[in-house]
Amino acid sequence: FVTVVEDSFEPNQDGVCSGRHWPKGRPPIYVITPTYRRAEQIPELTRLGQTLMLVDSLVWIVVDDAESPTQIVVDHLKERGLCHVYLTSRMPVKFQRAKNPPRGVANRLKGLEWIRQHAKQGGVFYFADDDNSYDSRLFEEMRGTRKVSMFPVGLVTKLGVSSPIVRDGKITGFYDGWIANRKFPVDMAGFAVNIDFWLTKPNATMPFAVGHEETKFLESLGITNDDIELIANNATKIMVWHTKTKKNNKAVLGDKKLNYDNSNIMVLLKQLWR
Ligand code: UGA
Ligand code: MN
């Protein structure tokens, strides 16, 4: 006799979902994804969302850098049928016109706030920018993180990879094209954090400091290299890549002399940023 649990796509008061993708007793994974309005937004979310669908017991926290919810993103997430939370958090005004602003920070802070309030069943969280490429098995590897786990990230800086340097299972330094006095010269995609550990650090946070978000965040957790757990086969396997999608222009309407009323074109245009 099997009880069928209805699939739920919104986390309950304990911050977890139910259904086929939520077998009992698995620590949940919270993936915090900053995103923002641009031509590539929905394609990126499609790619990432479909990777995340291969992972069970996962909550996707999508935080849009927008004043108010963007309907096509809301609809897109609902259609995916993934356990998700959609939040908005705009980049502070003073950075909005900057040439090189701290990207995704306001979004991540909002996601972390949600975790502090709602995640009641333990598990881990991870920052997944919307434009990177992930091997879905990485999420299984990070599920067991006790404090902070680390792993290599491909396609970062001129060195092509960013990773802790490991000898005899111990971290002896960091390999990264931009060390810059950073205590933890790692990429945003290169670490995961245990929720219970995070909840013991009420003052831990991420500053709006371009290029120093990762190290300052990790420093605020009060960890040393000895606290870091190496995954991805002792940091010997690249399971996440810092890919960048070519920027595309906003779509314009084709030949304005033609009339597209009552055609599929009007429907297609609603799926684009214009
Ligand atoms: C690199 C790092 O990987 C980011 O984690 C870091 O936040 C950023 O630099 C920084 O230091 O500012 P990069 O690939 O250069 O990231 O930046 P993007 O991919 O353009 O942005 C990072 C994240 O922020 C993405 O998920 C993106 O969707 C989001 N973002 C970007 C916004 O929410 N708003 C923006 O205006 C731009
Ligand atoms: Mn990026």
Side-chain angles (χ1 to χ4, degrees), residues 62-78:
V62 177
V63 194
D64 206 346
D65 183 349
E67 297 292 347
S68 54
T70 21
Q71 197 57 44
I72 68 171
V73 176
V74 172
D75 292 347
H76 174 82
L77 290 172
K78 284 210 178 111

Side-chain angles (χ1 to χ4, degrees), residues 48-226:
L48 177 51
Q50 282 177 176
T51 302
L52 299 182
M53 285 170 81
L54 298 167
V55 187
D56 71 69
S57 312
L58 183 146
V59 183
W60 192 16
I61 304 174
V62 177
V63 194
D64 206 346
D65 183 349
E67 297 292 347
S68 54
T70 21
Q71 197 57 44
I72 68 171
V73 176
V74 172
D75 292 347
H76 174 82
L77 290 172
K78 284 210 178 111
E79 253 179 75
R80 290 263 81 73
L82 252 163
C83 175
H84 73 276
V85 179
Y86 175 79
L87 306 167
T88 58
S89 183
R90 190 78 178 93
M91 180 185 286
V93 178
K94 63 175 170 183
F95 298 120
Q96 285 174 19
R97 280 162 189 278
K99 244 208 181 119
N100 184 21
R103 295 174 289 277
V105 176
N107 325 40
R108 294 187 197 101
L109 291 173
K110 185 83 177 185
L112 289 171
E113 189 186 307
W114 187 94
I115 285 178
R116 281 209 196 276
Q117 286 168 5
H118 297 92
K120 305 268 166 61
Q121 304 262 318
V124 305
F125 70 80
Y126 173 66
F127 298 122
D129 287 354
D130 62 355
D131 56 341
N132 290 346
S133 307
Y134 309 84
D135 181 326
S136 61
R137 295 170 300 178
L138 173 66
F139 298 96
E140 230 32 83
E141 297 239 349
M142 70 173 70
R143 202 186 290 278
T145 303
R146 293 180 306 270
K147 282 184 182 171
V148 176
S149 58
M150 275 193 190
F151 34 93
V153 181
L155 291 176
V156 191
T157 71
K158 58 187 184 299
L159 302 189
V161 64
S162 168
S163 176
I165 302 171
V166 183
R167 284 192 184 89
D168 298 327
K170 276 200 158 271
I171 299 179
T172 59
F174 292 89
Y175 187 82
D176 189 286
W178 191 64
I179 301 289
N181 271 324
R182 293 188 296 164
K183 184 170 184 202
F184 298 106
V186 299
D187 192 80
M188 194 64 76
F191 60 90
V193 181
N194 179 285
I195 302 274
D196 294 326
F197 176 66
W198 165 249
L199 294 176
T200 66
K201 306 283 173 187
N203 298 320
T205 190
M206 182 178 292
F208 288 89
V210 186
H212 294 268
E213 292 100 338
E214 298 88 349
T215 192
K216 293 290 178 206
F217 179 75
L218 292 165
E219 287 171 41
S220 80
L221 292 174
I223 54 164
T224 64
N225 286 356
D226 288 338

Side-chain angles (χ1 to χ4, degrees), residues 215-265:
T215 192
K216 293 290 178 206
F217 179 75
L218 292 165
E219 287 171 41
S220 80
L221 292 174
I223 54 164
T224 64
N225 286 356
D226 288 338
D227 292 315
I228 298 167
E229 301 138 58
L230 295 161
I231 61 170
N233 201 7
N234 250 327
T236 59
K237 197 166 165 46
I238 300 175
M239 302 183 85
V240 51
W241 302 85
H242 190 134
T243 39
K244 287 181 191 288
T245 304
K246 179 188 158 292
K247 282 237 175 285
N248 293 275
N249 291 326
K250 253 202 245 172
V252 297
L253 183 64
D255 193 342
K256 293 195 181 64
K257 294 192 288 292
L258 293 176
N259 178 4
Y260 304 104
D261 290 354
N262 302 317
S263 80
N264 64 322
I265 302 303

